[in-house]
Amino acid sequence: MNIKRIALVLVLVLLTVGGGIGYTYHSERTPERAMSELQAGIKSRDYNKVKQYADLDTLIESTYDESTKIMADNIGSLSKTYPQDWFFRHDTAFMQNYIAARRGDDLVFIRRTLDFYMDQQATPLSRVEGQAKWISDEMTKFEDSYTAEVKSVQQKDGMALATVEFTGRDTEYGRLVPHLTVVLELTRQPDEHWKVTRVHNVKEAFDPVLKGIEDYCTLQGWQ
């Protein structure tokens, strides 16, 4: 398991949809209400509510595919930027094959990590589950180190874009990504409610998130 593939998705999914979003809105069947209810579900660890307002499978898979494609396509420049990182010492073809071979296991691992994140009393039953539990505990530390504000919600053609700005607190984890803007894509469901389905700006968020992950690895003494 390479933490960079996993962490890129977890930072953009778990932190993004949780992250202490300070937003309230009480009109039914609006994207603003969906964001408020999603935040409430994360805070209370109400998995059913989270799934009601976020299509987690689509969100996880699309974020994984977009972020790993960016990684593979830009492996040369990443190697120059992070020469100390062995993971980037390959070419695009190798990375594409490597990611394709790992995709299924990675997605299962990410979903299991989210299970532990939502149920912090759950007990891991294997070495891999132990890794998922550890990462979920780390994500809680990240959540506690950031504040978030929904700056705008815009609707167009049955879709809504919610712009969320994250600011790190003055802590070891909060300083890893001091500022991050994430745009969440919401779609209207058949019952007229809205649901988060995708991170709209993975490309723009990739560099600051990856730098934060590299600095996190240094903080942990891994490189």
Side-chain angles (χ1 to χ4, degrees):
M1 181 192 71
N2 182 270
I3 193 171
K4 294 176 181 61
R5 297 192 316 281
I6 304 300
L8 278 166
V9 179
L10 290 173
V11 170
L12 288 173
V13 174
L14 299 184
L15 180 61
T16 297
V17 301
I21 297 172
Y23 199 80
T24 57
Y25 199 91
H26 300 289
S27 296
E28 289 286 351
R29 295 180 174 82
T30 63
E32 292 90 346
R33 177 60 179 267
M35 292 294 296
S36 179
E37 291 296 310
L38 180 59
Q39 177 247 354
I42 290 287
K43 279 185 172 295
S44 63
R45 298 298 193 262
D46 184 340
Y47 216 168
N48 289 329
K49 177 173 282 191
V50 170
K51 291 176 180 178
Q52 182 179 355
Y53 292 99
D55 184 341
L56 294 177
D57 284 340
T58 298
L59 185 60
I60 291 168
E61 290 181 20
S62 64
T63 305
Y64 182 91
D65 290 341
E66 288 185 58
S67 61
T68 52
K69 184 178 187 304
I70 294 169
M71 185 181 294
D73 290 347
N74 296 277
I75 194 69
S77 61
L78 291 173
S79 181
K80 293 178 181 178
T81 302
Y82 304 106
Q84 78 284 0
D85 193 333
W86 68 267
F87 189 61
F88 298 138
R89 297 174 190 174
H90 301 287
D91 59 20
T92 295
F94 175 91
M95 291 297 296
Q96 289 172 336
N97 291 332
Y98 179 79
I99 290 166
R102 290 293 314 170
R103 182 179 185 274
D105 289 342
D106 284 349
L107 293 177
V108 169
F109 184 87
I110 290 165
R111 292 185 182 103
R112 193 67 184 121
T113 302
L114 184 55
D115 291 341
F116 284 116
Y117 179 80
M118 295 301 296
D119 182 3
Q120 298 184 344
Q121 303 306 311
T123 302
L125 301 177
S126 67
R127 180 182 63 83
V128 172
E129 286 200 347
Q131 293 174 335
K133 170 62 174 171
W134 181 82
I135 291 179
S136 75
D137 291 343
E138 287 297 285
M139 290 309 302
T140 299
K141 296 177 184 178
F142 273 93
E143 181 183 355
D144 292 341
S145 295
Y146 289 82
T147 59
E149 181 180 1
V150 178
K151 303 299 289 187
S152 67
V153 179
Q154 299 178 333
Q155 294 187 44
K156 183 179 180 181
D157 299 329
M159 180 182 72
L161 297 177
T163 300
V164 185
E165 288 193 2
F166 290 86
T167 303
R169 296 188 173 95
D170 189 18
T171 65
E172 284 186 333
Y173 284 29
R175 289 189 292 270
L176 293 172
V177 186
H179 301 284
L180 181 67
T181 298
V182 175
V183 181
L184 298 179
E185 188 173 307
L186 299 91
T187 56
R188 193 191 300 271
Q189 304 302 299
D191 64 359
E192 299 298 316
H193 284 86
W194 292 79
K195 182 176 285 191
V196 175
T197 55
R198 180 171 171 261
V199 178
H200 190 76
N201 67 329
V202 172
K203 184 176 181 179
E204 290 77 12
F206 180 91
D207 285 343
V209 170
L210 181 60
K211 183 181 185 303
I213 292 168
E214 291 289 332
D215 291 342
Y216 171 81
C217 291
T218 300
L219 180 66
Q220 297 293 331
W222 297 340
Q223 60 187 33

mmCIF file of all heavy atoms in Angstrom, residues 13-36:
data_model
loop_
_atom_site.group_PDB
_atom_site.id
_atom_site.type_symbol
_atom_site.label_atom_id
_atom_site.label_comp_id
_atom_site.label_asym_id
_atom_site.label_seq_id
_atom_site.Cartn_x
_atom_site.Cartn_y
_atom_site.Cartn_z
ATOM 1 N N VAL A 13 -11.776 13.554 0.170
ATOM 2 C CA VAL A 13 -13.116 13.022 0.420
ATOM 3 C C VAL A 13 -13.499 13.158 1.887
ATOM 4 O O VAL A 13 -14.444 13.862 2.223
ATOM 5 C CB VAL A 13 -13.236 11.555 -0.041
ATOM 6 C CG1 VAL A 13 -14.585 10.981 0.360
ATOM 7 C CG2 VAL A 13 -13.076 11.454 -1.551
ATOM 8 N N LEU A 14 -12.753 12.532 2.780
ATOM 9 C CA LEU A 14 -13.134 12.543 4.180
ATOM 10 C C LEU A 14 -13.072 13.944 4.783
ATOM 11 O O LEU A 14 -14.016 14.408 5.408
ATOM 12 C CB LEU A 14 -12.239 11.583 4.972
ATOM 13 C CG LEU A 14 -12.292 10.113 4.550
ATOM 14 C CD1 LEU A 14 -11.436 9.279 5.496
ATOM 15 C CD2 LEU A 14 -13.705 9.584 4.537
ATOM 16 N N LEU A 15 -11.943 14.608 4.608
ATOM 17 C CA LEU A 15 -11.816 15.947 5.154
ATOM 18 C C LEU A 15 -12.784 16.901 4.476
ATOM 19 O O LEU A 15 -13.418 17.731 5.116
ATOM 20 C CB LEU A 15 -10.379 16.451 4.987
ATOM 21 C CG LEU A 15 -10.088 17.859 5.511
ATOM 22 C CD1 LEU A 15 -10.356 17.933 7.004
ATOM 23 C CD2 LEU A 15 -8.653 18.254 5.233
ATOM 24 N N THR A 16 -12.950 16.749 3.173
ATOM 25 C CA THR A 16 -13.793 17.661 2.416
ATOM 26 C C THR A 16 -15.240 17.588 2.852
ATOM 27 O O THR A 16 -15.882 18.600 3.100
ATOM 28 C CB THR A 16 -13.695 17.357 0.906
ATOM 29 O OG1 THR A 16 -12.357 17.579 0.480
ATOM 30 C CG2 THR A 16 -14.626 18.244 0.109
ATOM 31 N N VAL A 17 -15.774 16.380 2.969
ATOM 32 C CA VAL A 17 -17.186 16.283 3.319
ATOM 33 C C VAL A 17 -17.423 16.440 4.808
ATOM 34 O O VAL A 17 -18.547 16.704 5.235
ATOM 35 C CB VAL A 17 -17.811 14.950 2.843
ATOM 36 C CG1 VAL A 17 -17.682 14.792 1.357
ATOM 37 C CG2 VAL A 17 -17.190 13.753 3.550
ATOM 38 N N GLY A 18 -16.358 16.293 5.624
ATOM 39 C CA GLY A 18 -16.523 16.444 7.066
ATOM 40 C C GLY A 18 -16.081 17.809 7.527
ATOM 41 O O GLY A 18 -16.880 18.704 7.700
ATOM 42 N N GLY A 19 -14.804 17.902 7.780
ATOM 43 C CA GLY A 19 -14.089 19.147 7.984
ATOM 44 C C GLY A 19 -14.692 20.271 8.784
ATOM 45 O O GLY A 19 -14.263 21.391 8.652
ATOM 46 N N GLY A 20 -15.703 20.049 9.608
ATOM 47 C CA GLY A 20 -16.211 21.126 10.441
ATOM 48 C C GLY A 20 -16.837 22.255 9.657
ATOM 49 O O GLY A 20 -16.683 23.428 9.989
ATOM 50 N N ILE A 21 -17.554 21.945 8.597
ATOM 51 C CA ILE A 21 -18.142 22.997 7.767
ATOM 52 C C ILE A 21 -19.139 23.811 8.583
ATOM 53 O O ILE A 21 -20.117 23.268 9.095
ATOM 54 C CB ILE A 21 -18.826 22.402 6.521
ATOM 55 C CG1 ILE A 21 -17.792 21.705 5.626
ATOM 56 C CG2 ILE A 21 -19.584 23.454 5.746
ATOM 57 C CD1 ILE A 21 -18.387 20.927 4.475
ATOM 58 N N GLY A 22 -18.881 25.098 8.721
ATOM 59 C CA GLY A 22 -19.768 25.955 9.486
ATOM 60 C C GLY A 22 -20.853 26.552 8.600
ATOM 61 O O GLY A 22 -20.718 27.661 8.104
ATOM 62 N N TYR A 23 -21.926 25.810 8.420
ATOM 63 C CA TYR A 23 -22.940 26.282 7.473
ATOM 64 C C TYR A 23 -24.288 25.736 7.897
ATOM 65 O O TYR A 23 -24.434 24.545 8.168
ATOM 66 C CB TYR A 23 -22.607 25.788 6.064
ATOM 67 C CG TYR A 23 -23.290 26.564 4.955
ATOM 68 C CD1 TYR A 23 -22.774 27.785 4.538
ATOM 69 C CD2 TYR A 23 -24.432 26.077 4.345
ATOM 70 C CE1 TYR A 23 -23.384 28.505 3.526
ATOM 71 C CE2 TYR A 23 -25.049 26.784 3.328
ATOM 72 C CZ TYR A 23 -24.507 27.995 2.922
ATOM 73 O OH TYR A 23 -25.119 28.708 1.921
ATOM 74 N N THR A 24 -25.293 26.581 7.975
ATOM 75 C CA THR A 24 -26.645 26.130 8.277
ATOM 76 C C THR A 24 -27.616 26.715 7.269
ATOM 77 O O THR A 24 -27.492 27.860 6.841
ATOM 78 C CB THR A 24 -27.081 26.559 9.691
ATOM 79 O OG1 THR A 24 -26.983 27.987 9.811
ATOM 80 C CG2 THR A 24 -26.201 25.904 10.746
ATOM 81 N N TYR A 25 -28.586 25.910 6.890
ATOM 82 C CA TYR A 25 -29.595 26.344 5.923
ATOM 83 C C TYR A 25 -30.801 25.444 6.106
ATOM 84 O O TYR A 25 -30.662 24.230 6.151
ATOM 85 C CB TYR A 25 -29.046 26.235 4.492
ATOM 86 C CG TYR A 25 -29.821 27.056 3.492
ATOM 87 C CD1 TYR A 25 -29.454 28.364 3.211
ATOM 88 C CD2 TYR A 25 -30.924 26.515 2.844
ATOM 89 C CE1 TYR A 25 -30.167 29.128 2.299
ATOM 90 C CE2 TYR A 25 -31.642 27.272 1.929
ATOM 91 C CZ TYR A 25 -31.262 28.573 1.666
ATOM 92 O OH TYR A 25 -31.963 29.329 0.772
ATOM 93 N N HIS A 26 -31.975 26.014 6.213
ATOM 94 C CA HIS A 26 -33.101 25.220 6.679
ATOM 95 C C HIS A 26 -34.192 24.994 5.634
ATOM 96 O O HIS A 26 -35.201 24.355 5.933
ATOM 97 C CB HIS A 26 -33.705 25.863 7.928
ATOM 98 C CG HIS A 26 -32.722 25.966 9.044
ATOM 99 N ND1 HIS A 26 -32.264 24.865 9.743
ATOM 100 C CD2 HIS A 26 -32.063 27.033 9.571
ATOM 101 C CE1 HIS A 26 -31.395 25.248 10.657
ATOM 102 N NE2 HIS A 26 -31.248 26.542 10.576
ATOM 103 N N SER A 27 -34.031 25.465 4.418
ATOM 104 C CA SER A 27 -35.006 25.177 3.373
ATOM 105 C C SER A 27 -34.810 23.753 2.875
ATOM 106 O O SER A 27 -33.692 23.297 2.676
ATOM 107 C CB SER A 27 -34.861 26.156 2.204
ATOM 108 O OG SER A 27 -35.143 27.469 2.627
ATOM 109 N N GLU A 28 -35.904 23.035 2.675
ATOM 110 C CA GLU A 28 -35.824 21.674 2.177
ATOM 111 C C GLU A 28 -35.429 21.659 0.708
ATOM 112 O O GLU A 28 -35.680 22.599 -0.030
ATOM 113 C CB GLU A 28 -37.185 20.976 2.343
ATOM 114 C CG GLU A 28 -37.547 20.661 3.778
ATOM 115 C CD GLU A 28 -36.752 19.489 4.332
ATOM 116 O OE1 GLU A 28 -36.056 18.826 3.550
ATOM 117 O OE2 GLU A 28 -36.843 19.265 5.555
ATOM 118 N N ARG A 29 -34.808 20.549 0.284
ATOM 119 C CA ARG A 29 -34.538 20.258 -1.117
ATOM 120 C C ARG A 29 -33.725 21.367 -1.805
ATOM 121 O O ARG A 29 -34.050 21.838 -2.889
ATOM 122 C CB ARG A 29 -35.843 19.998 -1.873
ATOM 123 C CG ARG A 29 -36.566 18.746 -1.388
ATOM 124 C CD ARG A 29 -37.868 18.513 -2.170
ATOM 125 N NE ARG A 29 -38.467 17.248 -1.799
ATOM 126 C CZ ARG A 29 -39.233 17.045 -0.726
ATOM 127 N NH1 ARG A 29 -39.495 18.063 0.088
ATOM 128 N NH2 ARG A 29 -39.729 15.854 -0.462
ATOM 129 N N THR A 30 -32.658 21.784 -1.129
ATOM 130 C CA THR A 30 -31.719 22.727 -1.716
ATOM 131 C C THR A 30 -30.313 22.165 -1.533
ATOM 132 O O THR A 30 -30.059 21.394 -0.590
ATOM 133 C CB THR A 30 -31.783 24.115 -1.052
ATOM 134 O OG1 THR A 30 -31.390 23.976 0.322
ATOM 135 C CG2 THR A 30 -33.186 24.707 -1.144
ATOM 136 N N PRO A 31 -29.373 22.528 -2.396
ATOM 137 C CA PRO A 31 -27.991 22.075 -2.193
ATOM 138 C C PRO A 31 -27.402 22.615 -0.902
ATOM 139 O O PRO A 31 -26.564 21.961 -0.270
ATOM 140 C CB PRO A 31 -27.257 22.594 -3.435
ATOM 141 C CG PRO A 31 -28.130 23.671 -3.998
ATOM 142 C CD PRO A 31 -29.529 23.294 -3.646
ATOM 143 N N GLU A 32 -27.826 23.819 -0.498
ATOM 144 C CA GLU A 32 -27.346 24.370 0.770
ATOM 145 C C GLU A 32 -27.771 23.483 1.939
ATOM 146 O O GLU A 32 -26.994 23.221 2.861
ATOM 147 C CB GLU A 32 -27.886 25.792 0.962
ATOM 148 C CG GLU A 32 -27.310 26.804 -0.008
ATOM 149 C CD GLU A 32 -28.127 26.916 -1.287
ATOM 150 O OE1 GLU A 32 -28.977 26.044 -1.547
ATOM 151 O OE2 GLU A 32 -27.920 27.888 -2.032
ATOM 152 N N ARG A 33 -29.003 23.012 1.906
ATOM 153 C CA ARG A 33 -29.488 22.119 2.964
ATOM 154 C C ARG A 33 -28.707 20.804 2.938
ATOM 155 O O ARG A 33 -28.376 20.248 3.985
ATOM 156 C CB ARG A 33 -30.981 21.854 2.787
ATOM 157 C CG ARG A 33 -31.593 20.877 3.794
ATOM 158 C CD ARG A 33 -31.445 21.359 5.232
ATOM 159 N NE ARG A 33 -32.060 20.421 6.170
ATOM 160 C CZ ARG A 33 -33.300 20.516 6.607
ATOM 161 N NH1 ARG A 33 -34.082 21.516 6.177
ATOM 162 N NH2 ARG A 33 -33.786 19.649 7.462
ATOM 163 N N ALA A 34 -28.419 20.303 1.754
ATOM 164 C CA ALA A 34 -27.653 19.062 1.645
ATOM 165 C C ALA A 34 -26.282 19.210 2.293
ATOM 166 O O ALA A 34 -25.817 18.306 3.005
ATOM 167 C CB ALA A 34 -27.510 18.660 0.175
ATOM 168 N N MET A 35 -25.622 20.339 2.068
ATOM 169 C CA MET A 35 -24.315 20.564 2.678
ATOM 170 C C MET A 35 -24.414 20.610 4.198
ATOM 171 O O MET A 35 -23.586 20.054 4.918
ATOM 172 C CB MET A 35 -23.717 21.869 2.146
ATOM 173 C CG MET A 35 -23.321 21.836 0.672
ATOM 174 S SD MET A 35 -21.951 20.696 0.337
ATOM 175 C CE MET A 35 -20.634 21.466 1.270
ATOM 176 N N SER A 36 -25.454 21.280 4.699
ATOM 177 C CA SER A 36 -25.648 21.378 6.138
ATOM 178 C C SER A 36 -25.923 20.012 6.756
ATOM 179 O O SER A 36 -25.361 19.659 7.801
ATOM 180 C CB SER A 36 -26.812 22.334 6.430
ATOM 181 O OG SER A 36 -27.053 22.436 7.808
#
